Amino acid sequence: MTGTLTLLRLALRRDRVLLPAWIVVIVGVVVASASAIAELYPQAGQRIALGVTIGAAPALQALTGPVFDASSVGGLTAWRGVAMTSVLAALMSLLTVIRHTRAEEETGRAELVGACAVGRHALAASAVLLAAAANLLIALLITVGLAGQGLPPAGALAFGLAVGGTGWVFTGVALLAAQLTEHARTARAIAAAALGLAFLLRALGDAAKVEMLAWLSPLGWAQRMRAFAGERWWVVALFAVAGAVLVAAAALVARRRDLGSGLVPARPGVTEAAPSLRSPMALAWRLQRGVLLGWSVGFAVVGLLFGALARSVGDIVGDNPQLAAILAAMGGAGALTDTFLAAELGLLGLVAGAYAVQATLRLQGEEAALRAEPVLATAVARRRWILSHLVMALGGSAMVLAAGGLAAGIAHGLRIGDPFGQGGRMLGAALVQVPATWTLAGIAMLLFGLLPRLTVLAWVALLAFALLGQLGELLQLADWVRDLSPFAHVPRALGQPLDLGPLLWLGAVTAALLLAGMTAFQRRDVQGG
Amino acid sequence: MANTPAVLISGLTKHYGTVRALDGLDLTVRTGEVHGFLGPNGSGKTTTLRILLGLLRAGSGHAELLGGDPWRDAVELHRRLAYVPGDVVLWPSLSGGEAIDLLGRLRGGLDPRRKAALLERFDLDPGRKGRAYSKGNRQKVALIAALASDVELLLLDEPTSGLDPLMEAVFREVIGEERARGRTVLLSSHVLSEVEALCDQVTIIRDGRAVQTGTLAELRHLTRITISAELERAPDGLAGLAGVHDLIAEGPRVRCQVDGEHLQAVLRVLTDAGVRTLTCQPATLEELFLRHYQVAA
Ligand SMILES: Nc1ncnc2c1ncn2[C@@H]1O[C@H](COP(=O)(O)OP(=O)(O)OP(=O)(O)O)[C@@H](O)[C@H]1O
Ligand SMILES: [Mg+2]
């Protein structure tokens, strides 16, 4: 472990902007939500009314988790805030850990460092310390921020620990993932898939009211700490132990492998290229097909699960006379199922936005890794090279959405005896999300062309759109602010005739962004070593 | 056609932000010659090659490649040339053989028999994947991909970095054959023996400017000559003579370097002081380069 502290200082220096930005966003969202809720819903009666509406929409619960206490400002803040910010803390932790471990090994910088008087596990230890410190700081700041607004300190502390604790567990998840593969990209994919699975288990558990499922997920623990609603303090131990076990497991795996290698040795390849590998498009397909397949399978699984659940959503509510009244006003059980399915598709659209961003930014990855240079030094025009990866980004995001929609429709259709009809209907509804996802590809492309060093802003945009979608209504943000997100313009596709207008102009905006980005790239220098 | 030079650069500048990478570079590579491109680290060699490839936009000045504009006609020109980058990075998921085939096809096709022969001569296993290659083997992948195509011009950026001496010898052989077939080569290198063995013409670049260009024989002619002499008495006014450098005089014993064109004047002073022994040594190529590389020179 010699050298851990020196490496920690180096990591802090490298992350001096990024990490504080994460912390500010996470803490800021929590504190701003609490103060907005206190201001917008000052009477307990208003808050309870809001809670009942939420209770009537299990679709919403799938996304945000159950409301344990709608009567207090703290309870409402926790309902909305814990689910969202614990996902953010998990993301922050897994990106930070992989950035400072596997990514360092992949670039060979770890070798440079490892040759110095530095212990074998110092790099991993420094990354874990960094992530742990960031999560602790988040817990502390949330506690202080919420208590500072006059909310009960115990609830504030539980809220902070729930968010920081989730981050700690995913610190361990990421460290383990970083030991398994040679490439940071794959390690990130594994850790992100684990986060997706955690979200899925929690969402299914909450939507179907199966507590057991939710308890399988760290995101479920975060909510079940019941901040501001009779705190369960022992959950803190669950976080601590789970994170520690994962870190220990990672250490065990690390002992069995060499620096730079994964657990599974790379397999030899073929000696000659297939005849089809002869165009930039074929190369882009080759580079991105694995990722696309993974995403498609993931979307199909999510679609199947939620589709299978959709009908039960109507049943659960049907038992409650008070809710049944609200339900009838909303258009009956069928409408409720549609609301649920539409909410699920909205979520898938947002996640498909992440696919579009990462597939577009492959361009930047290839350029920064100096792999664009040899291709562009052959008879491949810059436009063709760009288009090859854009086809993967645009076609791919449509494909994953189609997989999710089709699977949801078929699963739902099988339960109500109409698999083909529902499959087609949901496929169409899923594809309605496509133009909004493409807009994100457009933003990423524009950044790549104009500001290749700042492509991370595409992720910031996605995060901002997600927060606007999640919080905009509750916080009663001005319409124009909420309208900044392309997802705010996606028309309702289920249960009413489709409004094509927004789709067309979203498509036009996207085309303009793509074109501008492509033109900018054709005029700029290709970055060198 | 034979009269248009393969590369014609004059007064070329390039800035990276405030860093001036090229500062009025002149470079001419005639068709059919192997042209050595030398210079200290950071002097602008890679920048020049990347401008020729249309990867970078030139600042002011003129750059012409195979009679075309490297920026505007990039795609057409790239069919007629092959490039070996200074840092070879391969795709982790593609084998070396696949990378060679892919790059060759993207350029417009490669000769499978030549490829097979080169694989054999460079002793490369094409079945490994990206990271499984050592540095030298990655370099070989890029070299074979470039050499297996039938192109007019080869742009090579430190192509032998990482190759073992045996493979370096193979590289020299292959480039010799390419020259015999009339291909033009622009070779950036830090290996002087390689440049000496392969190049017809040499350009030395420093701080983004060509400081010396010509055949090796011409360059040698311009070099300094080291003189050491034992005289009967201390010479008169040697230090003040034009063209005398690094003078060390201990009474009648003298050691100095003299520019070729001032040799006669210096010898006259020495003979006036009565020569006992005298050795004259032309500078080695290495001394020549070192002199140009040193910033103070
Ligand atoms: N992307 C960049 N941004 C800023 N400066 C750069 C960039 N690329 C090169 N430079 C600077 O331009 C100058 C020329 O660099 P170049 O890579 O052309 O040198 P070189 O002659 O190839 O050196 P070497 O022998 O080390 O390969 C150097 O001062 C370098 O620092
Ligand atoms: Mg260079």
Side-chain angles (χ1 to χ4, degrees):
Chain A
M1 298 280 181
T2 328
T4 302
L5 287 182
T6 315
L7 290 179
L8 183 62
R9 268 200 297 275
L10 174 68
L12 278 170
R13 166 77 178 67
R14 289 181 57 205
D15 279 358
R16 67 191 187 284
V17 178
L18 200 62
L19 215 46
W22 271 111
I23 295 173
V24 165
V25 167
I26 292 171
V27 176
V29 163
V30 172
V31 174
S33 309
S35 79
I37 286 172
E39 198 171 303
L40 295 171
Y41 310 95
Q43 315 285 329
Q46 292 170 317
R47 295 195 287 265
I48 292 171
L50 182 67
V52 172
T53 336
I54 298 160
L60 211 55
Q61 292 206 9
L63 289 180
T64 61
V67 206
F68 292 112
D69 177 8
S71 66
S72 71
V73 171
L76 266 188
T77 310
W79 160 66
R80 203 55 170 166
V82 168
M84 206 163 38
T85 46
S86 54
V87 169
L88 292 183
L91 268 179
M92 173 198 79
S93 306
L94 73 88
L95 291 175
T96 302
V97 168
I98 291 175
R99 184 171 137 78
H100 289 291
T101 54
R102 178 52 72 177
E104 287 295 279
E105 282 189 48
E106 194 180 16
T107 55
R109 278 194 294 262
E111 212 165 278
L112 211 60
V113 170
C116 305
V118 158
R120 181 173 304 278
H121 295 306
L123 194 65
S126 69
V128 168
L129 279 180
L130 181 68
N135 282 306
L136 262 182
L137 191 61
I138 286 174
L140 187 74
L141 289 176
I142 288 180
T143 309
V144 172
L146 290 181
Q149 300 202 11
L151 298 179
L157 181 63
F159 195 130
L161 289 176
V163 176
T166 315
W168 166 241
V169 172
F170 278 91
T171 300
V173 169
L175 192 68
L176 187 57
Q179 311 307 317
L180 301 180
T181 67
E182 269 183 48
H183 305 293
R185 183 188 298 280
T186 328
R188 266 192 294 270
I190 293 174
L195 179 58
L197 183 68
F199 187 89
L200 195 63
L201 288 172
R202 207 270 308 137
L204 279 177
D206 285 337
K209 308 261 182 263
V210 185
E211 275 296 293
M212 227 268 301
L213 276 181
W215 277 108
L216 287 177
S217 159
L219 299 175
W221 308 345
Q223 285 173 325
R224 278 152 186 75
M225 258 191 90
R226 303 184 64 119
F228 301 108
E231 292 80 8
R232 285 194 186 115
W233 295 108
W234 56 267
V235 178
V236 179
L238 199 55
F239 282 126
V241 170
V245 166
L246 284 163
V247 169
L252 275 182
V253 176
R255 208 165 294 166
R256 314 176 98 230
R257 68 177 187 92
D258 296 330
L259 187 70
S261 66
L263 202 58
V264 193
R267 276 165 304 158
V270 294
T271 56
E272 266 185 18
S276 58
L277 187 60
R278 58 181 317 111
S279 64
M281 191 59 242
L283 177 62
W285 165 249
R286 177 70 188 271
L287 295 178
Q288 297 211 28
R289 66 183 180 190
V291 178
L292 177 58
L293 185 72
W295 278 76
S296 304
V297 170
F299 267 56
V301 169
V302 174
L304 277 179
L305 291 172
F306 279 86
L309 208 66
R311 184 154 170 255
S312 326
V313 167
D315 296 345
I316 294 165
V317 181
D319 297 341
N320 181 329
Q322 192 193 350
L323 295 184
I326 298 174
L327 186 63
M330 286 168 70
L336 190 60
T337 307
D338 277 354
T339 313
F340 174 76
L341 287 171
E344 185 229 331
L345 289 181
L347 184 65
L348 287 184
L350 202 59
V351 181
Y355 173 85
V357 169
Q358 66 89 24
T360 308
L361 292 186
R362 252 307 165 94
L363 288 165
Q364 205 254 335
E366 289 288 289
E367 183 187 13
L370 304 182
R371 289 190 293 255
E373 185 177 307
V375 171
L376 293 173
T378 66
V380 170
R382 292 189 184 199
R383 188 169 15 93
R384 257 181 92 203
W385 178 68
I386 294 266
L387 279 175
S388 66
H389 284 279
L390 278 185
V391 166
M392 291 306 297
L394 303 182
S397 40
M399 186 172 143
V400 297
L401 278 170
L406 198 61
I410 291 175
H412 175 54
L414 280 173
R415 287 198 66 188
I416 63 169
D418 177 23
F420 294 112
Q422 289 298 324
R425 195 173 79 104
M426 286 294 288
L427 174 62
L431 291 180
V432 168
Q433 302 279 340
V434 166
T437 16
W438 283 2
T439 307
L440 278 152
I443 293 171
M445 182 64 220
L446 183 68
L447 286 165
F448 172 67
L450 276 184
L451 305 163
R453 280 168 211 284
L454 293 179
T455 44
V456 67
L457 291 180
W459 292 110
V460 174
L462 179 64
L463 183 64
F465 298 158
L467 289 177
L468 285 177
Q470 295 286 298
L471 291 177
E473 195 177 348
L474 184 76
L475 302 187
Q476 300 180 9
L477 294 179
D479 278 346
W480 70 267
V481 178
R482 284 156 64 183
D483 284 350
L484 288 176
S485 165
F487 295 98
H489 305 283
V490 175
R492 263 200 79 144
L494 294 172
Q496 65 187 62
L498 183 63
D499 179 8
L500 276 178
L503 298 186
L504 291 179
W505 69 256
L506 273 177
V509 169
T510 303
L513 289 169
L514 291 173
L515 214 63
M518 190 152 15
T519 312
F521 177 70
Q522 282 177 302
R523 283 155 193 259
R524 75 166 167 82
D525 287 350
V526 174
Q527 317 274 307
Chain B
M1 203 45 209
N3 298 339
T4 34
V7 174
L8 182 62
I9 289 176
S10 61
L12 189 65
T13 64
K14 173 72 192 173
H15 291 256
Y16 293 107
T18 55
V19 181
R20 187 186 304 159
L22 294 182
D23 182 19
L25 177 75
D26 300 310
L27 172 69
T28 308
V29 180
R30 280 185 292 270
T31 304
E33 79 184 8
V34 178
H35 195 111
F37 195 30
L38 293 102
N41 293 134
S43 53
K45 302 180 295 296
T46 301
T47 303
T48 309
L49 292 177
R50 287 165 55 83
I51 288 177
L52 288 176
L53 285 163
L55 294 170
L56 300 182
R57 204 189 251 284
S60 59
H62 178 77
E64 203 178 303
L65 182 73
L66 298 170
D69 178 334
W71 179 267
R72 219 190 39 231
D73 311 325
V75 175
E76 278 316 305
L77 294 174
H78 292 177
R79 280 186 222 289
R80 299 161 58 192
L81 63 84
Y83 168 56
V84 174
D87 294 292
V88 177
V89 187
L90 301 174
W91 293 275
S93 53
L94 262 62
S95 72
E98 284 180 300
I100 292 172
D101 286 346
L102 173 70
L103 289 172
R105 289 170 187 171
L106 292 179
R107 197 176 291 125
L110 84 182
D111 179 348
R113 259 175 315 169
R114 267 183 76 70
K115 184 188 85 172
L118 286 164
L119 281 173
E120 169 117 14
R121 287 172 78 178
F122 278 107
D123 191 23
L124 179 76
D125 170 8
R128 305 258 191 109
K129 280 192 184 168
R131 261 195 75 140
Y133 281 120
S134 63
K135 175 171 167 50
N137 283 328
R138 281 202 302 274
Q139 196 71 34
K140 289 184 203 168
V141 169
L143 271 173
I144 295 173
L147 292 168
S149 303
D150 194 17
V151 290
E152 297 164 40
L153 173 66
L154 293 169
L155 297 176
L156 311 177
D157 194 357
E158 297 181 39
T160 55
S161 71
L163 292 192
D164 65 41
L166 210 66
M167 290 304 137
E168 238 180 88
V170 173
F171 171 77
R172 284 180 202 185
E173 257 173 55
V174 174
I175 295 297
E177 293 162 19
E178 297 302 322
R179 178 174 41 192
R181 295 157 160 235
R183 291 209 219 186
T184 313
V185 181
L186 177 55
L187 168 73
S188 128
S189 177
H190 288 301
V191 185
L192 301 178
S193 58
E194 176 178 294
V195 171
E196 198 170 10
L198 291 174
C199 298
D200 309 306
Q201 289 272 326
V202 171
T203 295
I204 300 175
I205 170 177
R206 205 182 63 215
D207 298 333
R209 257 173 207 285
V211 288
Q212 200 66 260
T213 182
T215 63
L216 283 173
E218 281 166 4
L219 293 193
R220 274 215 187 81
H221 188 71
L222 294 174
T223 60
R224 292 173 183 172
I225 295 159
T226 307
I227 289 182
S228 45
E230 233 172 282
L231 310 172
E232 281 164 2
R233 53 186 177 276
D236 256 351
L238 194 56
L241 273 185
V244 173
H245 307 270
D246 303 337
L247 174 66
I248 307 170
E250 292 164 357
R253 229 171 291 184
V254 174
R255 210 183 136 82
C256 66
Q257 298 200 342
V258 181
D259 289 332
E261 66 266 38
H262 296 293
L263 188 57
Q264 203 159 9
V266 173
L267 284 180
R268 202 167 295 134
V269 173
L270 293 181
T271 40
D272 284 350
V275 177
R276 285 221 176 97
T277 63
L278 175 69
T279 53
C280 280
Q281 258 180 338
T284 59
L285 200 57
E286 195 159 324
E287 283 168 318
L288 163 70
F289 289 133
L290 286 181
R291 199 183 88 198
H292 283 300
Y293 276 31
Q294 272 152 15
V295 181

